[in-house]
Structures are given as C-alpha cells and as structure tokens.
Amino acid sequence: RVLFRSNHGHLEQIDRPDVLYRRPESFFVASFVGSSNRIPGIMSGSNHVRILGSEIPVSPHSQHGGKGANVQALIRPEEIHIVKEKTPGSTRAKVALRSFLGPYTTLGLSIPELPLIHVHSESTDNQNLNVGDEVHFVVRAEHVMVTESSPN
C-alpha cells in the first residue's frame, strides 16, 4: 500500500500502486502516478468530456464546472490507439518521435497548438510507422480524470 499526501499535507489516497494508477481518487494522484498526456477538453455534460473528437466518461472523482466547462484531461499513453484510416472520432496527427523499446514502442504525436501526445503501443502494431508519417488515432479509455482549466 502507498499513501499519497498533497503538497498541502492533505491525505489524497491510500491503496495498492495498480489501483492508484488505474483508479486515482484525485487529479493530484492521477498526475503523479505514471505518465499522462494533459489534453484540453470541454465538458459535454455532467459526466462526459469532449476530447480530440471523442466523448469520454469522466472519473467520478474529477472536479469540473459542469457542461461547457474548459478542462484538462489526463489520458494515459496506452489509452491512445493508432487506427489504420480515418474513422468517426479519430484525430489526425504527425509522428514526431518514435522510440523502439523492444516489445513496445513509444510514439510522440504532433497536433498543432497541443503539447506532444505520447502513445505506448506494441511494437508489432506500428512497425511501419516513421517520423513524419501522418496517422489517425482514437482515445479508448473507460474514464478520464479531469480538472478545470486555469484561466490565462
């Protein structure tokens, strides 16, 4: 079991590492454990967020202002999947980084005006991709953690 305290000393969550990763109870824990992509989205209802053309359920532990609120969503790299062709809900990107790591490969996908989106997938699924290639991807997540975006 691991105990998480925020930088203000608040007890965030006590649980096994795999539970902390898969079912975090706060944005702080979700962003601290493992790697995540921070992607802007808009709440499309009280419990769904629109991110990159997909509508995804939000974690019940998320904090947001309800429908229409601008949020930051945490998407795990393994929840992003390359698809062979454009499909409903897919997003176009350019491969900016490719790092072969044996059984899996890390890709960095570039979309204008967003930070690099990191993808972890099995190497056999993307062996023909190269830096500079155009791809489409979808987000396949049971739910995502969101928090309200800070005003600029």
Side-chain angles (χ1 to χ4, degrees):
R1 288 182 136 347
V2 178
L3 176 135
F4 265 93
R5 289 193 184 273
S6 70
N7 57 0
H8 300 292
H10 173 73
L11 177 64
E12 295 284 337
Q13 187 173 355
I14 301 173
D15 223 318
R16 297 185 326 259
D18 61 313
V19 174
L20 294 171
Y21 184 79
R22 297 276 177 227
R23 293 188 304 274
E25 293 181 3
S26 71
F27 193 83
F28 174 79
V29 173
S31 62
F32 191 84
V33 178
S35 58
S36 294
N37 294 288
R38 285 181 182 237
I39 300 174
I42 297 176
M43 293 300 298
S44 57
S46 61
N47 59 359
H48 283 80
V49 62
R50 183 163 258 322
I51 307 165
L52 301 171
S54 296
E55 216 165 288
I56 301 171
V58 299
S59 164
H61 302 290
S62 292
Q63 297 177 353
H64 55 82
K67 186 174 182 173
N70 291 318
V71 295
Q72 289 288 314
L74 293 180
I75 309 292
R76 301 288 188 194
E78 66 274 12
E79 296 173 329
I80 298 172
H81 300 272
I82 305 296
V83 292
K84 294 187 186 295
E85 55 191 46
K86 184 177 180 172
T87 60
S90 68
T91 300
R92 187 177 68 188
K94 187 173 276 195
V95 177
L97 170 91
R98 184 176 185 276
S99 181
F100 175 77
L101 301 168
Y104 74 94
T105 295
T106 297
L107 299 173
L109 303 181
S110 175
I111 298 174
E113 301 182 23
L114 285 181
L116 198 64
I117 295 174
H118 298 275
V119 179
H120 295 171
S121 63
E122 291 187 33
S123 292
T124 55
D125 292 343
N126 55 44
Q127 62 189 359
N128 295 323
L129 291 179
N130 295 300
V131 171
D133 287 352
E134 225 175 66
V135 296
H136 286 86
F137 69 90
V138 293
V139 177
R140 293 187 186 136
E142 182 179 327
H143 63 265
V144 296
M145 181 66 71
V146 300
T147 191
E148 287 189 63
S149 294
S150 302
N152 292 336

